[in-house]
């Protein structure tokens, strides 16, 4: 019917208007004090009503899935085997899928042999061109590039300041866990079996024997050896999100890995039998 959309819009505006005053009553007019302790709750993602944010003294809380320009993850400094290392392998997939083509990657080379190494020597993103679509983060097979929550990037210099280089883009894994704890934890579980092959190798060599003997949650103890080793290395640097992470037990990836291990074991047995018969 003609005018229905208009009526709907006005009804929504009216609802926000009324809810603003309900919020006022709910929080006892505390929102007019800058240093209110309830700011995070009142200005959170569930906030109702129309609000006036006293920016820059106050900022609206952003949800975990909020995305602004990308950043690169480097391993935390306290990681036992990979401290400060790039997660990026300079595979170039993000640059390929980036719709406005605003990513430039310079692949690293071994200074002695001249051979390519799986880490970027240079990484540049033109944030004036970046449209915050998040494709780079979606497609990265190594979880090495993520979308940031920091939206205060204005500057008076439109040239060099808006080309973020590797130094500016690199942020520790702990930062990613602090802004997106749930997603970071889920990702950690999923990549536990393959992401930290280096750490697993290191642990098998014996240098991580102390880590292996450290008490671990039941779900991890039940995991197959490579999984458990990789998780042990990861969990040492994942203290914050792990505390607020989903409950253990619901770890389908553990079952998947166990099934894969079982299949691998059976395949090896079959191969051995065939070899014995052939011999
Ligand atoms: S950020 Fe990810 S997709 Fe992009 S080059 Fe590095 S590893 Fe590849
Ligand atoms: S967020 Fe989108 S536009 Fe920005 S760098 Fe990533 S893929 Fe490119």
């Amino acid at each position: 019917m003609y005018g229905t959309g208009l009526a709907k819009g006005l009804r929504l505006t009216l609802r926000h208007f009324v809810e603003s005053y309900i919020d006022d009553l709910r929080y006892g007019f505390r929102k007019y004090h800058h240093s209110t302790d309830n700011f995070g709750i009142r200005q959170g993602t569930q906030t109702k009503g129309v609000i006036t944010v006293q920016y820059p003294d106050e900022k609206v809380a952003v949800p975990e899935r909020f995305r602004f320009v990308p950043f690169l993850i480097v391993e935390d400094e306290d990681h036992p085997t990979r401290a400060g290392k790039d997660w990026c392998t300079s595979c170039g997939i993000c640059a390929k899928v980036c719709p406005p083509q605003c990513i430039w990657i310079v692949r690293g080379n071994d200074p002695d042999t001249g051979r390519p190494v799986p880490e970027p020597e240079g990484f540049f993103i033109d944030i004036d061109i970046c449209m915050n679509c998040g494709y780079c983060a979606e497609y990265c097979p190594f979880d090495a590039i993520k979308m940031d929550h920091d939206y205060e990037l204005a500057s008076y210099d439109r040239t060099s300041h808006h080309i973020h280089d590797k130094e500016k883009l690199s942020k520790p894994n702990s930062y990613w866990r602090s802004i997106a704890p749930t997603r970071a934890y889920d990702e950690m579980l999923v990549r536990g079996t393959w992401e930290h092959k280096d750490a697993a190798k290191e642990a098998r060599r014996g240098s991580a024997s102390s880590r292996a003997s450290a008490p671990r949650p039941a779900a991890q103890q039940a995991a197959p050896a490579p999984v458990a080793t990789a998780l042990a290395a990861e969990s040492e640097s994942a203290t914050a999100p792990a505390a607020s992470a989903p409950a253990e037990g619901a770890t389908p990836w553990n079952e998947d890995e166990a099934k894969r291990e079982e299949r691998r074991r059976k395949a090896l047995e079959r191969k051995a039998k065939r070899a014995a018969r052939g011999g």
Side-chain angles (χ1 to χ4, degrees):
M1 195 175 71
Y2 183 72
T4 314
L6 186 66
K8 267 188 193 168
L10 287 172
R11 199 176 62 208
L12 187 69
T13 308
L14 183 66
R15 204 183 77 202
H16 284 314
F17 179 74
V18 173
E19 281 177 343
S20 305
Y21 290 98
I22 294 174
D23 267 5
D24 269 1
L25 294 174
R26 184 180 300 145
Y27 296 108
F29 294 93
R30 277 183 292 165
K31 68 178 171 187
Y32 301 111
H33 300 278
H34 285 190
S35 57
T36 50
D37 54 353
N38 64 345
F39 182 77
I41 302 164
R42 183 174 56 75
Q43 300 280 27
T45 49
Q46 303 301 320
T47 303
K48 292 176 179 169
V50 181
I51 52 167
T52 301
V53 180
Q54 310 292 335
Y55 187 81
D57 298 329
E58 296 178 340
K59 286 178 201 161
V60 177
V62 294
E64 194 172 321
R65 284 190 171 271
F66 178 84
R67 57 173 197 257
F68 208 57
V69 297
F71 69 96
L72 292 173
I73 295 188
V74 295
E75 199 55 84
D76 289 333
E77 283 304 323
D78 58 355
H79 195 277
T81 54
R82 298 161 51 88
K85 279 198 175 180
D86 298 306
W87 283 24
C88 174
T89 61
S90 75
C91 68
I93 289 174
C94 55
K96 213 156 212 169
V97 298
C98 174
Q101 296 284 289
C102 63
I103 301 179
W104 294 272
I105 302 168
V106 182
R107 197 176 57 192
N109 288 314
D110 188 310
D112 300 327
T113 61
R115 290 185 157 194
V117 289
E119 61 188 52
E121 195 173 301
F123 203 111
F124 305 90
I125 297 180
D126 187 334
I127 62 157
D128 281 339
I129 298 177
C130 172
M131 58 187 197
N132 319 122
C133 65
Y135 273 22
C136 49
E138 285 294 324
Y139 280 89
C140 176
F142 301 97
D143 285 339
I145 188 164
K146 296 291 170 197
M147 302 306 287
D148 209 344
H149 285 188
D150 182 12
Y151 50 83
E152 294 181 312
L153 302 174
S155 83
Y156 288 107
D157 179 358
R158 284 201 233 164
T159 52
S160 57
H161 271 78
H162 291 190
I163 309 278
H164 285 196
D165 60 11
K166 190 180 160 195
E167 191 185 352
K168 204 165 185 176
L169 288 169
S170 297
K171 295 189 178 180
N173 185 21
S174 52
Y175 172 74
W176 169 238
R177 292 199 307 264
S178 70
I179 62 170
T182 314
R183 292 188 64 193
Y185 185 80
D186 288 347
E187 288 167 0
M188 184 192 84
L189 291 187
V190 171
R191 69 172 175 263
T193 53
W194 57 270
E195 148 74 14
H196 291 296
K197 282 181 185 159
D198 289 354
K201 272 185 208 160
E202 196 73 23
R204 276 198 292 274
R205 279 191 209 114
S207 65
S209 56
S210 57
R211 289 205 306 281
S213 62
R216 278 172 289 159
Q220 291 183 20
Q221 286 173 1
V227 185
T229 317
L231 270 175
E234 180 65 65
S235 65
E236 285 186 7
S237 63
T239 50
S244 61
E248 302 158 13
T251 51
W253 60 274
N254 262 352
E255 291 164 23
D256 289 347
E257 179 60 21
K259 281 177 191 164
R260 275 199 292 276
E261 284 287 320
E262 183 64 16
R263 278 201 298 275
R264 272 199 289 272
R265 191 181 61 74
K266 283 184 179 166
L268 282 173
E269 278 175 9
R270 281 198 297 274
K271 203 173 169 187
K273 277 181 192 165
R274 272 201 304 273
R277 277 202 299 272

